């Protein structure tokens, strides 16, 4: 089943992640180690394209670009959505250069990143018709957030509640078997 396969991927990438001190940026470091490939995040103003974020693969790292003008919660969700593209192995624009060469150009002309984001490969994916990639990346982000929150709630509950009846009444809605 489609939903179960996305949940399986979420569970796999969260394997070994300490939920008590969880942060999205700590998770990105964990994911980079798992994949043996750096992941860089850039918060920029995305003005030339109607998107909240994009994932582009460079020779030396994977880069996620997030529109910094959005609400913080939207930025974080977009970051998880773009991580979904990476984790699920979706194809994206490949730039056969190291990110440092692009960063230098971007310092001189901020529109460099905007030009990359305007690429047809990225824009086509935003048409929501590309083999369900947008839908599956969105499902990854939603399931990831739900899984992390539920695991954190379970840990909190276990630390606070001392009797079984208290625990059972507090656990309603957390999907605890």
């Amino acid at each position: 089943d489609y939903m179960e396969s996305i949940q399986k991927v979420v569970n796999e990438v969260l394997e070994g992640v300490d939920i008590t001190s969880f942060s999205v940026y700590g998770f990105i470091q964990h994911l980079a180690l798992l994949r043996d490939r750096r992941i860089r995040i850039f918060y920029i103003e995305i003005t030339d394209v109607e998107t909240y974020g994009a994932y582009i693969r460079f020779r030396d790292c994977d880069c996620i670009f997030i529109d910094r003008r959005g609400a913080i919660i939207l930025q974080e969700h977009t970051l998880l959505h773009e991580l979904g593209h990476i984790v699920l192995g979706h194809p994206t624009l490949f730039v056969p250069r190291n990110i440092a060469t692009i960063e230098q150009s971007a310092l001189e002309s901020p529109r460099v990143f905007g030009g990359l984001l305007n690429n047809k490969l990225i824009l086509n994916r935003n048409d929501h018709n590309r083999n369900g990639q947008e839908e599956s990346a969105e499902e990854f982000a939603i399931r990831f957030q739900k899984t992390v929150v539920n695991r954190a709630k379970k840990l909190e509950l276990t630390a606070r509640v001392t009797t079984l009846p208290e625990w059972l009444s507090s656990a309603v809605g957390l999907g605890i078997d």
Side-chain angles (χ1 to χ4, degrees):
D1 165 69
Y2 166 75
M3 299 297 189
E4 287 176 14
S5 66
I6 298 285
Q7 187 62 53
K8 183 178 180 215
V9 170
V10 167
N11 292 340
E12 286 171 2
V13 296
L14 282 172
E15 181 98 18
V17 172
D18 180 9
I19 298 298
T20 60
S21 61
F22 181 84
S23 77
V24 172
Y25 301 100
F27 171 72
I28 290 169
Q29 291 175 335
H30 167 78
L31 189 57
L33 287 172
L34 275 179
R35 299 174 61 244
D36 195 27
R37 185 164 171 81
R38 287 187 319 144
I39 300 172
R40 300 275 313 274
I41 313 300
F42 293 91
Y43 290 89
I44 63 173
E45 286 189 18
I46 301 175
T47 55
D48 299 340
V49 207
E50 288 187 34
T51 188
Y52 298 111
Y55 150 54
I56 299 176
R57 190 171 174 85
F58 287 82
R59 182 184 309 152
D60 59 336
C61 66
D62 293 329
C63 296
I64 295 175
F65 298 89
I66 303 293
D67 192 336
R68 67 175 170 223
R69 296 170 302 161
I72 299 298
I73 194 164
L74 178 59
Q75 291 178 27
E76 190 165 283
H77 179 80
T78 302
L79 180 53
L80 291 172
H81 173 100
E82 298 305 328
L83 285 171
H85 286 302
I86 292 172
V87 168
L88 297 169
H90 295 164
T92 191
L93 174 65
F94 174 72
V95 178
R97 294 171 38 190
N98 290 341
I99 186 61
T101 60
I102 302 292
E103 280 181 296
Q104 185 57 45
S105 301
L107 289 175
E108 295 161 12
S109 172
R111 297 191 62 79
V112 167
F113 284 140
L116 287 174
L117 298 181
N118 211 1
N119 184 279
K120 188 172 176 58
L121 183 59
I122 291 170
L123 294 179
N124 280 348
R125 193 165 61 213
N126 286 338
D127 287 341
H128 296 278
N129 63 358
R130 189 146 191 214
N131 299 326
Q133 290 177 11
E134 286 304 311
E135 183 180 280
S136 60
E138 190 65 16
E139 189 63 34
F140 173 88
I142 291 166
R143 286 180 173 269
F144 185 94
Q145 288 169 313
K146 184 176 182 180
T147 301
V148 169
V149 167
N150 281 346
R151 287 181 184 182
K153 284 180 179 179
K154 288 175 190 176
L155 286 172
E156 288 287 320
L157 203 56
T158 304
R160 281 188 280 139
V161 178
T162 56
T163 69
L164 183 59
E166 281 180 314
W167 196 84
L168 290 172
S169 67
S170 298
V172 173
L174 292 181
I176 298 172
D177 297 328

